[in-house]
Every structure is written in C-alpha cells, then in structure tokens.
Amino acid sequence: MAQHPKGDFDLSRAVWQRAEGDDSEGAVEIAFVDNLIGMRNSADPDGPVLVFTQAEWDAFVAGARDGEFDLD
C-alpha cells in the first residue's frame, strides 16, 4: 500500500486502465481506488504513482476539457 498524505492508495486493488486503443509503451494509466485516483507511466509500472483526490481529479479533467493544457 502506498502511504500518501491524502490517504492510503492500495496498489493491490488498483485496476490500471488507459485510453482505449493506446498500445504505446509509455502510456498514462489511471486507477480508481476508493476515493483516490492514481496515475502512472505504463513503461514503469513499479515506479512512482501520482495520487489525486476526487476534487483534484475533477479540476484536472475540467481543465483538460477546457483546453487549459493545449500546446499552441
């Protein structure tokens, strides 16, 4: 279990998923465990996991939909 200031993200219960059709080696993978969301690089599955609260995740998704992270 990954100890995190936001709570315990239980890696043993994580079901990692990625964008449909993304077969790349370095894909971003997401897992929802209880009230936390984990994000990792599929090329390094034993590497670090970023952990987000639901509110943080919702803000990130809203920003992505709004184009906040688009590169021009």
Side-chain angles (χ1 to χ4, degrees), residues 3-57:
Q3 298 296 315
H4 195 277
K6 297 174 187 176
D8 294 334
F9 187 78
D10 188 351
L11 291 169
S12 70
R13 293 181 37 228
V15 177
W16 295 101
Q17 52 191 319
R18 60 173 76 181
E20 189 173 324
D22 187 349
D23 295 329
S24 63
E25 183 180 320
V28 172
E29 295 183 321
I30 305 298
F32 298 86
V33 177
D34 299 326
N35 60 345
L36 296 174
I37 297 92
M39 180 187 292
R40 72 177 185 184
N41 180 340
S42 66
D44 188 12
D46 295 322
V49 174
L50 299 175
V51 178
F52 300 92
T53 64
Q54 188 65 55
E56 290 168 332
W57 183 252

